[in-house]
Amino acid sequence: MDNLGASFTVPTEFVKTNGEILHQKIELKTDNHPGKWWKVKSERVGKRCFLTEGWSKFAEDVGLLHGECLVFTFLGDSAFNVSIYGVTCCKKLPCKGEDSGNMLVMVRSEDHDRHQEMSTEYPTLPTWKFYKEVKNYHYTSSRMDIPKPFAIDTGIAASRKMQLVDGGGRKWPVRVTDRNVGKYAMTSGWKDFLIGNTVAVGTTISFEFIPDSDNTVKALLI
């Protein structure tokens, strides 16, 4: 299938390992188009998954070419950031290039040093990271959702607690709640972190799990 056409084939290994984060409707953004989002439909056919309605519009708007590599970074809430790399494996600026074949890498944490080979294999990463933009309801509800794969694979879902460490090294104990059959969220202690760090609405926070640290997560304002 021509991935620059009406649909995009998601690698089967990614679907097998991380299919739960590919909801029927997802949103895409790129570093080259700040503030702009594309809504794309995800469809399953047996064990395969395709990005269909909305994909061709995304490909046209960002100027995708054959031979370029796409790195999908899961941001949570059915959203992905798409980094575009040219045929030389350098990150693409908003310009045109040459035609060739197409490849894909899909990862959960953003670590561009690990993408030099740009293979279609799903890499095993030693760290877990996700990003969230702070909204008004994160204050009013005193809750911040946690991506299911992050919560389960780090062990945070089982322990029901975590510790946030801010940029100044301060520690903030936070309770983790299974609020709706497999949907996890930071609850008690989360608002203390927001207020203590004077986090403004619209600020993006990166959450990175620190292995062997008793559920410690580094939370940095970016």
Side-chain angles (χ1 to χ4, degrees), residues 9-45:
T9 306
V10 179
T12 54
E13 183 61 27
F14 185 87
V15 176
K16 178 180 176 181
T17 309
N18 308 282
E20 72 277 2
I21 67 176
L22 286 170
H23 297 170
Q24 187 174 10
K25 293 182 179 180
I26 65 174
E27 290 187 297
L28 305 178
K29 77 179 188 71
T30 71
D31 298 329
N32 292 339
H33 298 76
K36 185 170 183 178
W37 291 84
W38 289 263
K39 296 182 183 298
V40 178
K41 187 175 182 180
S42 169
E43 295 188 42
R44 301 293 182 93
V45 179

Side-chain angles (χ1 to χ4, degrees), residues 107-115 122-130 149-150 153-155 207-213 216:
V107 300
R108 287 182 182 159
S109 66
E110 185 170 297
D111 185 351
H112 297 307
D113 291 337
R114 303 182 189 276
H115 305 323
Y122 177 73
T124 301
L125 301 179
T127 60
W128 289 95
K129 179 184 288 188
F130 68 96
F150 183 97
D153 294 342
T154 59
F207 297 90
E208 181 176 355
F209 179 74
I210 302 175
D212 303 320
S213 63
T216 297

